Amino acid sequence: MATSPSRICKGCWQHMHVPIPIRGPLSIPFRMLGIRISHMNPNLCTICETMFTRVKRRKQLTIPATVLFADLRGYTSLAQGTETGEVVGMLNEFYDACAAAVWERDGIVNKFIGDAVLAIFNFPILREDHVRQAVLAGLDLQQRCAEKKRLRVIDAHGETCPVGIGIGIHTGFASIGEVGTAYKDFTIIGSMVNLASRIQGTAQPGEVLVTEEVYRQVSDLCPNAESHAYPLKGIEGPVTAYRLRA
Ligand SMILES: [Zn+2]
């Protein structure tokens, strides 16, 4: 169900109703002005990135969104016992798999933080079903990683097995904010994002762990998902989350 590349920027169209060409001959003059395809999603342009930064400076931009965090499990020990070239190769495979799974569902890959990835759904490309799209991306990412030949490690018994990926997803209201001083970029901030990150830290390899708010909207995808109340660092009271498997 790969979505075909858009000829105009989906973000500029949805937010300003301005068609900014990003592909084809019409995009050439725009590229000469420095307007290019965003590295966060190939259907967005670089105006979107700067525009949202400016919006934020004027007022707080609070939006409903779904956040997905994913990371390579055992990356630290992996990085110590493996050759540098091989580790870089694995990270690249992981990033590629993340980008493909997220972009197909109109999300953006906002940050690559070492061995972890932060993806945002419903911003800047608006989708009413952003919760479902994020969960589908998470399940798809597990599937893609399990199939990648380079994403394999030798376990304690000398057997080759897929490297574990942990994924956490939460939804709610969050703010779009600006981070960095030398290199300005927008990202998503707020308690919702912290909870998503904590949930991801709790996910077992191969799991997509989602909060109750998320599960309520996608229960038909995994009707018998196991739930558990997790105590999470820095968050009051245990949080109920559901384990989804591809
Ligand atoms: Zn744009």
Side-chain angles (χ1 to χ4, degrees):
M1 55 152 276
T3 44
S4 56
S6 177
R7 283 188 169 261
I8 62 162
C9 170
K10 283 189 176 183
C12 287
W13 181 247
Q14 285 191 339
H15 292 268
M16 305 188 294
H17 299 288
V18 179
I20 303 288
I22 50 173
R23 287 186 182 84
L26 285 178
S27 70
I28 295 167
F30 286 85
R31 268 183 297 188
M32 286 168 74
L33 291 170
I35 298 162
R36 291 167 191 282
I37 289 173
S38 167
H39 63 277
M40 296 188 196
N41 180 304
N43 285 329
L44 293 173
C45 75
T46 47
I47 299 181
C48 292
E49 295 174 15
T50 51
M51 177 177 73
F52 298 119
T53 305
R54 264 188 234 123
V55 166
K56 163 67 185 162
R57 238 177 262 150
R58 276 187 279 124
K59 58 171 187 179
Q60 193 85 3
L61 184 64
T62 303
I63 52 152
T66 305
V67 164
L68 177 154
F69 279 96
D71 78 345
L72 278 178
R73 284 300 142 88
Y75 170 73
T76 316
S77 56
L78 202 85
Q80 282 164 356
T82 322
E83 287 198 30
T84 313
E86 215 167 300
V87 174
V88 171
M90 286 180 83
L91 278 178
N92 284 340
E93 288 269 284
F94 175 57
Y95 291 165
D96 288 351
C98 287
V102 169
W103 291 346
E104 254 185 40
R105 293 163 185 91
D106 284 341
I108 57 168
V109 177
N110 183 231
K111 297 268 177 253
F112 288 118
I113 319 146
D115 60 331
V117 162
L118 159 60
I120 305 171
F121 293 82
N122 204 36
F123 188 83
I125 303 175
L126 307 171
R127 291 276 310 230
E128 259 180 36
D129 58 348
H130 55 95
V131 176
R132 176 170 291 265
Q133 295 305 319
V135 170
L136 290 172
L139 294 170
D140 182 24
L141 176 57
Q142 288 290 12
Q143 186 88 42
R144 281 172 193 264
C145 290
E147 286 165 5
K148 294 249 180 200
K149 279 204 187 73
R150 289 190 81 169
L151 286 180
R152 291 186 176 271
V153 283
I154 313 275
D155 69 7
H157 311 287
E159 310 256 347
T160 313
C161 59
V163 64
I165 310 286
I167 300 177
I169 303 175
H170 183 40
T171 189
F173 282 86
S175 294
I176 294 299
E178 195 184 347
V179 283
T181 44
Y183 173 70
K184 289 201 194 304
D185 213 349
F186 79 86
T187 192
I188 192 161
I189 45 180
S191 56
M192 180 272 257
V193 183
N194 296 342
L195 180 51
S197 164
R198 294 291 183 210
I199 284 283
Q200 187 264 333
T202 306
Q204 296 294 308
E207 259 178 25
V208 178
L209 197 61
V210 306
T211 58
E212 206 159 14
E213 290 84 346
V214 170
Y215 187 67
R216 237 180 273 141
Q217 300 194 42
V218 297
S219 55
D220 59 303
L221 290 174
C222 303
N224 301 314
E226 221 182 290
S227 75
H228 190 79
Y230 296 92
L232 299 176
K233 199 179 149 198
I235 288 161
E236 214 179 305
V239 174
T240 302
Y242 291 77
R243 285 181 184 158
L244 314 182
R245 283 180 184 276

